Amino acid sequence: MILKSRDKPILALFEWIRVRLMTRFYTKREGIQKYAGKLCPSIQDRLEKLKVESKPFSATPTGSFLYEVGSQYKRHVVDLVKKTCSCRSWDLNGIPCKHAITAIYINIETPEDYTHPCYFKETYMEIYKEVLPPMPGQLEWAETG
């Protein structure tokens, strides 16, 4: 990001970074407020693709919130309480995998409810809620000894 300005003097470089951050925070904050979904847009898109990929799988309940999910060739164990799948994808990124989505639908619930809270719109808004205050130009700075 700073390739354009890294050859500048240190104060000019810091000023460039400050303005970029101030603009980025404002843009992110305004963009997410217009969005109506529960999850961030990119995560929602990813989840929609996984929902389509989950169609060929079938889930067999083996216990309370415990399912065996598979197709003709592969089987995976999904635990909805622990939010884990034996393919480990859900464990690693916090987004239900295609196997987990199949089990979630059998349980008559929505995959969005099983997604890690770090992907929620509220969390995103919390990250970008801070406002970087504008700063007067260098000529208006207070003189110090």
Side-chain angles (χ1 to χ4, degrees):
M1 182 174 105
I2 65 168
L3 287 176
K4 296 178 190 173
S5 64
R6 72 178 189 184
D7 60 336
K8 296 181 180 191
I10 192 75
L11 282 179
L13 174 67
F14 284 156
E15 180 63 17
W16 187 87
I17 291 171
R18 185 189 66 79
V19 170
R20 288 279 296 187
L21 285 173
M22 194 169 56
T23 306
R24 181 177 173 88
F25 273 44
Y26 175 77
T27 307
K28 295 286 187 181
R29 193 170 41 250
E30 292 300 310
I32 199 68
Q33 286 177 350
K34 296 174 187 172
Y35 183 68
K38 179 181 179 179
L39 299 176
C40 292
S42 61
I43 302 302
Q44 186 65 50
D45 292 344
R46 193 165 158 189
L47 201 56
E48 294 302 323
K49 288 178 186 172
L50 287 168
K51 287 177 184 179
V52 171
E53 291 176 16
S54 74
K55 291 194 188 281
F57 293 99
S58 62
T60 307
T62 60
S64 181
F65 298 102
L66 193 61
Y67 293 86
E68 181 181 280
V69 178
S71 61
Q72 286 180 325
Y73 307 108
K74 291 186 176 182
R75 298 205 186 290
H76 294 281
V77 177
V78 175
D79 187 339
L80 295 180
V81 173
K82 294 180 182 175
K83 297 183 179 181
T84 60
C85 178
S86 60
C87 77
R88 305 247 317 123
S89 177
W90 192 9
D91 306 357
L92 294 173
N93 63 25
I95 300 169
C97 62
K98 52 192 171 186
H99 315 110
I101 290 173
T102 303
I104 291 167
Y105 280 143
I106 293 293
N107 207 36
I108 312 171
E109 295 184 90
T110 60
E112 287 80 5
D113 296 335
Y114 283 88
T115 306
H116 194 277
C118 71
Y119 298 119
F120 289 176
K121 175 184 172 184
E122 291 82 29
T123 306
Y124 191 91
M125 289 172 59
E126 186 69 24
I127 291 168
Y128 289 104
K129 77 175 183 180
E130 291 298 322
V131 175
L132 292 177
M135 199 170 129
Q138 192 171 356
L139 295 175
E140 297 175 25
W141 291 355
E143 298 248 349
T144 61

